[in-house]
Amino acid sequence: MELGDCCLTSSPASGEKRKLHRTQQKEKPFRGIRMRKWGKWVAEIREPNKRSRIWLGSYTTPVAAARAYDTAVFYLRGPSARLNFPDLIFQEDELRDVSAASIRKKATEVGAKVDALQTSLHHASASSSESSNPTRVFRKPDLNKYPDSSDED
């Protein structure tokens, strides 16, 4: 065995590292979030100089989870924090209490607002595409109403 042989087998080739990095990016589109098995996106952040984590919530969209993370990391680390959406952070209201509970509250407020907006936009676009295609429009029956005799033909 030569001197350089032992080091070659212990680390993957640079091509494998790039491939691994690409697959991780597909699974995790933003920093500080992950996807549950059942499709929900969750956000959490580690407290500075502690082993504990701050739970930031569970969201329908990855953007909402990422915005919750951005809010928390901004309040924990300040303007120098690495954010997913640096242009969208709002600095108008200062968080006076920098406890884990207050950071969680502020982050979940932002995440919930974004999640509601994202979900309503998704539903609005889905319903407008259905209404533009007349063959896919279905009317839900009123279950509290007796059927008309004309419908039985």
Side-chain angles (χ1 to χ4, degrees):
M1 176 155 70
E2 293 182 18
L3 184 61
D5 288 343
C6 67
C7 299
L8 292 176
T9 58
S10 64
S11 66
S14 63
E16 290 176 20
K17 282 183 183 177
R18 275 187 254 128
K19 185 178 179 183
L20 178 67
H21 184 68
R22 268 187 273 136
T23 57
Q24 286 175 343
Q25 290 233 330
K26 286 180 186 175
E27 295 170 6
K28 229 170 95 168
F30 300 108
R31 176 182 297 277
I33 69 169
R34 59 189 164 85
M35 191 169 102
R36 295 268 193 200
K37 291 178 194 173
W38 50 90
K40 287 276 192 172
W41 292 90
V42 297
E44 61 186 351
I45 189 169
R46 216 176 259 288
E47 289 186 77
N49 304 320
K50 292 183 181 178
R51 293 182 58 126
S52 58
R53 295 172 187 248
I54 301 174
W55 179 254
L56 304 175
S58 179
Y59 303 97
T60 310
T61 63
V63 173
R67 291 286 305 276
Y69 172 82
D70 279 1
T71 302
V73 78
F74 178 78
Y75 285 119
L76 282 173
R77 298 194 173 95
S80 63
R82 292 175 60 186
L83 304 171
N84 294 307
F85 304 102
D87 300 336
L88 300 178
I89 199 75
F90 297 111
Q91 300 177 9
E92 68 266 357
D93 56 330
E94 285 294 317
L95 198 64
R96 286 155 189 40
D97 180 21
V98 194
S99 66
S102 62
I103 289 171
R104 179 184 304 112
K105 182 180 177 192
K106 185 67 175 174
T108 52
E109 284 173 6
V110 171
K113 285 179 186 176
V114 173
D115 209 17
L117 286 170
Q118 292 275 313
T119 305
S120 66
L121 287 174
H122 176 71
H123 288 307
S125 67
S127 66
S128 68
S129 67
E130 285 178 2
S131 64
S132 65
N133 188 356
T135 59
R136 295 190 68 204
V137 174
F138 296 103
R139 222 176 74 210
K140 291 184 179 178
D142 185 3
L143 299 177
N144 296 321
K145 186 177 170 186
Y146 285 109
D148 292 337
S149 59
S150 62
D151 289 344
E152 295 178 22
D153 293 335

